[in-house]
Structure formats: structure tokens, C-alpha cells
Amino acid sequence: MAEMFHQLLDLDGAEELGWQERALCAQTDPESFFPEKGGSTREAKKVCLACEVRSECLEYALANDERFGIWGGLSERERRRLKKAAV
């Protein structure tokens, strides 16, 4: 998972998404954004809280149905609840 995250944030080969250049997660350990089942999401969410592109990240995750990891400060379960509430 973390490798996939790094590839997404690597703008050399990926479709350019300007917000990713400013994402704090690109400057931290990607493993914290993809914890093992039952693992803590606290560190990743702390990074997200300080990130200026948190809303763009969350929009991306929702639009692309990201099923793993912390995106925009929310876990997969929290994103599912958000989508369900919006329906």
C-alpha cells in the first residue's frame, strides 16, 4: 500500500495534481498512512490536521473510491460513513 501511495505522490510519472505537491504526507513516512488492520491512525491524522490541502486530498479519495489508508484525515471507515451520510 505504501508503495502505491508513494507512486501516486510521485509527480514524475503520475497525472499532475497540483495539491499533491503541497501535501505534508509526501514529506513523512507513508507507512503511517496505511497502518496494519487494528493499527493506530493517530500519527497520520495529526499530519493531516496541519496540512493545507486536506480538503483536496479528501475530495480525491472520495471521487476515486480510495479503499485503503488515511486520506484527508479520514480512515476508510470514516470516508464510507461520510459518503453514506451524503446520500
Side-chain angles (χ1 to χ4, degrees), residues 7-8 13-14 20 28-29 41 45 47 52 54 64 72 85:
Q7 288 172 351
L8 177 63
Q20 290 180 342
T28 61
D29 179 13
T41 60
K45 288 181 175 185
V47 171
E52 70 179 63
R54 181 176 169 201
N64 291 282

Side-chain angles (χ1 to χ4, degrees), residues 1 13 25 28 30 32 42-43 48 52 59 63 67 69 71-72 76 81 84-85:
M1 281 303 137
C25 58
T28 61
S32 64
R42 185 176 298 134
E43 288 305 311
C48 292
E52 70 179 63
E59 286 176 30
R67 298 190 184 260
W71 292 84
E76 176 195 359
R81 278 192 221 134
K84 201 177 242 185

Side-chain angles (χ1 to χ4, degrees), residues 13-86:
E15 177 183 327
E16 188 170 342
L17 297 171
W19 62 266
Q20 290 180 342
E21 293 176 339
R22 299 184 324 273
L24 289 179
C25 58
Q27 303 165 30
T28 61
D29 179 13
E31 295 293 326
S32 64
F33 292 87
F34 295 92
E36 296 293 322
K37 186 170 182 140
S40 176
T41 60
R42 185 176 298 134
E43 288 305 311
K45 288 181 175 185
K46 193 186 311 184
V47 171
C48 292
L49 282 174
C51 187
E52 70 179 63
V53 295
R54 181 176 169 201
S55 61
E56 290 93 330
C57 180
L58 180 57
E59 286 176 30
Y60 174 87
L62 293 172
N64 291 282
D65 200 27
E66 288 292 342
R67 298 190 184 260
F68 301 100
I70 305 301
W71 292 84
L74 299 180
S75 67
E76 176 195 359
R77 181 181 299 165
E78 292 165 330
R79 291 191 305 274
R80 271 195 317 245
R81 278 192 221 134
L82 184 64
K83 281 181 106 170
K84 201 177 242 185

